[in-house]
Amino acid sequence: MNLPQNQEHKVRVAAKTALATGVVELELASEDGSDLPVWEPGAHVDLILPSGTVRQYSLCGDPGYLSAYKVAVLLDEKGRGGSREVHEGLETGTVVTIRGPRNHFPLGEHESYLFIAGGIGITPMLAMARKVAAEGRNWRLIYGGRSLDTMAYLPEIKALKGGKVELVPADTKGIPDIKGAIENATGAHVYTCGPEPMLRVVEENTKALLGADFFHFERFGADPNAVPEDTDGDTAFEVELATTGKTLTVAADQKLIDVVRKVVPSVPFSCEQGYCGSCETGVLAGIPLHRDQLLTEDERACNDTMMICVGRSRSPKLVLDI
Ligand code: FES
């Protein structure tokens, strides 16, 4: 599979640092000392843990320093175990695999920016704010969290130049005035990452007050409000795996990724719900039926890539770059 975002790299945990209550930072250095791939703010990697669990984490270090990546991981007590494995199972020196980076949350070129982060959602925002601060652009960051001790990267944020930072720990300051901030952000593009209720408020106000084009976001998981796809009309189609030369049939009640996996067991995947991007696959021919929550309308229209965990085919046959 030749998508660069699907390439795997062995990395060593060069440092593991407690950043805040429940948050550790991993510095992941390439095992052979070579540079890791170039990345831009908003990018994330798949972290493939020793147990085989795959989780996505935003890159939050310095994009100019490619000897190592930095990710920050919040311990999710009620999660499925990935963050616990990071917190309790990974130590300095542990070798793990990363896949990527890929970027479904790119930072556009704008006159001014309003960044709104909730909790561990600060990680992509930090990389973005660092970039626009270095470029001398107009920016403002609103960063909410449960309390100051749970909020990662406060020293790094305070060191950023030029913009305006508003820290809103809920225990002493309540919740951020998101509507007010957006009302005063005329012309600014809004970038946000954080818990679902916060994203909803940012989305509603940005679209109402600034316009849909000004709203840019990344969520932690699947959209809980997404309307379930109507699969009643699904039909069978053929899929050719270009690098193997094999053509397979995907029955109406089969998932494309399950059929592909029978021939290529190593095909990458994680969420299997169309939001993480791990299974993104190049399309060489045919018209995909997109059902993911990642690709933009423009990206969908290109028909050159798809998430095979949820996507199917509009044409009788798809040729995938696998
Ligand atoms: S496995 Fe997550 S988008 Fe397909």
Side-chain angles (χ1 to χ4, degrees), residues 257 269-279 294 307-309:
I257 194 169
F269 69 96
S270 177
C271 73
E272 295 191 79
Q273 295 178 69
Y275 68 80
C276 76
S278 293
C279 68
L294 277 175
M307 306 303 150
I308 62 171
C309 64

Side-chain angles (χ1 to χ4, degrees), residues 104-184:
H104 290 288
F105 188 33
L107 182 68
E109 296 263 333
H110 315 295
E111 288 291 310
S112 66
Y113 301 80
L114 172 60
F115 301 114
I116 302 177
I120 199 64
I122 190 61
T123 50
M125 305 279 92
L126 173 62
M128 290 179 172
R130 194 182 272 135
K131 178 171 175 136
V132 300
E135 291 173 348
R137 293 176 193 260
N138 185 10
W139 63 277
R140 179 182 178 192
L141 167 66
I142 298 174
Y143 178 15
R146 279 187 290 121
S147 54
L148 281 177
D149 67 292
T150 67
M151 294 166 68
Y153 292 120
L154 295 182
E156 288 83 354
I157 289 165
K158 287 173 184 166
L160 295 175
K161 303 271 189 254
K164 191 170 167 203
V165 173
E166 192 180 334
L167 303 178
V168 191
D171 60 343
T172 56
K173 293 194 172 177
I175 58 172
D177 177 11
I178 290 172
K179 182 168 186 234
I182 295 170
E183 277 174 340
N184 289 320

Side-chain angles (χ1 to χ4, degrees), residues 280-288 290 295-306:
E280 184 170 2
T281 301
V283 177
L284 301 176
I287 304 172
H290 297 288
L295 297 179
T296 63
E297 286 306 316
D298 287 347
E299 288 168 335
R300 287 180 173 212
C302 290
N303 287 329
D304 59 358
T305 185
M306 69 183 296

